Amino acid sequence: LVRLRSRLSRSQNSLGKGLLTLLSRDHLDEDTWEEIEDTLLTADVGVAPTQELVERLRQRVKVLGTRTPDELRALLRAELLTLIGPDLDRSVRTEGGLETPGVVMVVGVNGTGKTTTTGKLARVLVADGRSVVLGAADTFRAAAADQLQTWGERVGARTVRGPEAGDPASVAYDAVREGIAEGADVVLVDTAGRLHTKTGLMDELGKVKRVVEKHGPLDEVLLVLDATTGQNGLVQARVFAEVVNITGIVLTKLDGTAKGGIVIAVQRELGVPVKLVGLGEGPDDLAPFEPEAFVDALLG
Ligand code: GDP
């Protein structure tokens, strides 16, 4: 947690600091409110949440009258937390069925960090005492299966893979079967993220989902988004949400952007919580998303 805070704060706190400086002005005229709005939009908070936040801040500041720096900080902290949703269920479900392992499908556009996230998640689960099978259903990107297998070997999870350019759904099917045969606790299925056509993607992910569900419940569909891609990431998110029922968001590369507002924007866009964040390329760089720690990092 300490690491999460320091990793985030290095880049994120410009948003919080900028807002606090603006709110500390003696006279909050319209120009200042516009600057506050711009600061939020620049940090990728998104239009609707920005307007909501500015409206709330206007009301609260009016009620407050004179403002000490501590009061302002507390006010901003509370409002940002409300926007992020401090009480959403952010646990990654992996219970599975009576006789079947928990199954988590990991989806997202190539390059966002899907395979890395799958590997890191396996590591977390194995460290937690769960046995994990990995399904390399990203058969489109030639190196993806090798990459996943390397993660598997590193963390102690078997990787099920198929022929190159083979059918992703059949790999997913085999992975779940393997998971059942081994009595594994969790199967993580890494999928391909080709956004070439929406119907192509829909067919592929839909099919993976259907074959997985033949065996039992699908616990999670995690959408991996690259935090550095800003509004583009939101467009991708929308397409995936139309194709599969996303249950949680993983925001990767949060270590590489100062635009932490994307957390707020993407949750609003999908109506689904950010559950995990990627904070680097290393094996330990996947963390649960903790709203309070995140807001504290934003405020510096
Ligand atoms: P995929 O195509 O979506 O499976 O993407 P990969 O898992 O291959 O990741 C693409 C690149 O992003 C790799 O170089 C990863 O090491 C890097 N990456 C993944 N997650 C993170 C993260 O949280 N932070 C940083 N800085 N890099 C990441």
Side-chain angles (χ1 to χ4, degrees), residues 108-117 120 138 141 144 147 190 224 251-256 277-281 285:
V109 171
N110 287 333
T112 53
K114 219 166 8 75
T115 303
T116 308
T117 297
K120 290 176 184 170
D138 181 355
R141 188 162 66 86
Q147 195 186 333
D190 182 22
V224 179
L251 213 49
T252 60
K253 310 186 194 181
L254 216 47
D255 54 305
V277 289
L279 299 165
E281 299 189 74
D285 294 330

Side-chain angles (χ1 to χ4, degrees), residues 132-153:
V132 175
V133 168
L134 297 170
D138 181 355
T139 56
F140 177 68
R141 188 162 66 86
D146 289 339
Q147 195 186 333
L148 192 66
Q149 189 161 359
T150 303
W151 273 101
E153 283 159 10

Side-chain angles (χ1 to χ4, degrees), residues 123-195:
R123 181 180 164 93
V124 172
L125 291 165
V126 170
D128 209 30
R130 325 278 309 275
S131 56
V132 175
V133 168
L134 297 170
D138 181 355
T139 56
F140 177 68
R141 188 162 66 86
D146 289 339
Q147 195 186 333
L148 192 66
Q149 189 161 359
T150 303
W151 273 101
E153 283 159 10
R154 197 189 290 174
V155 308
R158 181 199 297 279
T159 303
V160 174
R161 50 192 295 178
E164 206 167 288
D167 179 18
S170 103
V171 177
Y173 184 85
D174 289 346
V176 178
R177 288 242 315 222
E178 175 72 21
I180 294 170
E182 276 189 21
D185 296 315
V186 185
V187 178
L188 303 179
V189 181
D190 182 22
T191 62
R194 274 174 295 168
L195 266 186

Side-chain angles (χ1 to χ4, degrees), residues 74-236:
L75 184 152
L76 191 55
R77 186 179 191 278
E79 293 302 334
L80 283 170
L81 258 183
T82 305
L83 211 53
I84 291 176
D87 303 321
L88 297 177
D89 180 7
R90 296 177 194 273
S91 57
V92 176
R93 279 181 304 275
T94 53
E95 294 85 22
L98 222 49
E99 305 275 326
T100 55
V103 181
V104 177
M105 223 173 119
V106 186
V107 307
V109 171
N110 287 333
T112 53
K114 219 166 8 75
T115 303
T116 308
T117 297
T118 310
K120 290 176 184 170
L121 184 56
R123 181 180 164 93
V124 172
L125 291 165
V126 170
D128 209 30
R130 325 278 309 275
S131 56
V132 175
V133 168
L134 297 170
D138 181 355
T139 56
F140 177 68
R141 188 162 66 86
D146 289 339
Q147 195 186 333
L148 192 66
Q149 189 161 359
T150 303
W151 273 101
E153 283 159 10
R154 197 189 290 174
V155 308
R158 181 199 297 279
T159 303
V160 174
R161 50 192 295 178
E164 206 167 288
D167 179 18
S170 103
V171 177
Y173 184 85
D174 289 346
V176 178
R177 288 242 315 222
E178 175 72 21
I180 294 170
E182 276 189 21
D185 296 315
V186 185
V187 178
L188 303 179
V189 181
D190 182 22
T191 62
R194 274 174 295 168
L195 266 186
H196 55 319
T197 62
K198 202 170 105 187
T199 41
L201 182 76
M202 195 168 332
D203 287 351
E204 188 163 307
L205 291 182
K207 201 170 156 203
V208 170
K209 185 169 183 288
R210 279 195 305 278
V211 302
V212 164
E213 286 178 330
K214 272 189 188 153
H215 294 292
L218 177 60
D219 294 79
E220 291 271 0
V221 179
L222 296 177
L223 173 66
V224 179
L225 283 181
D226 177 343
T228 66
T229 58
Q231 300 304 309
N232 258 337
L234 287 186
V235 174
Q236 293 169 10

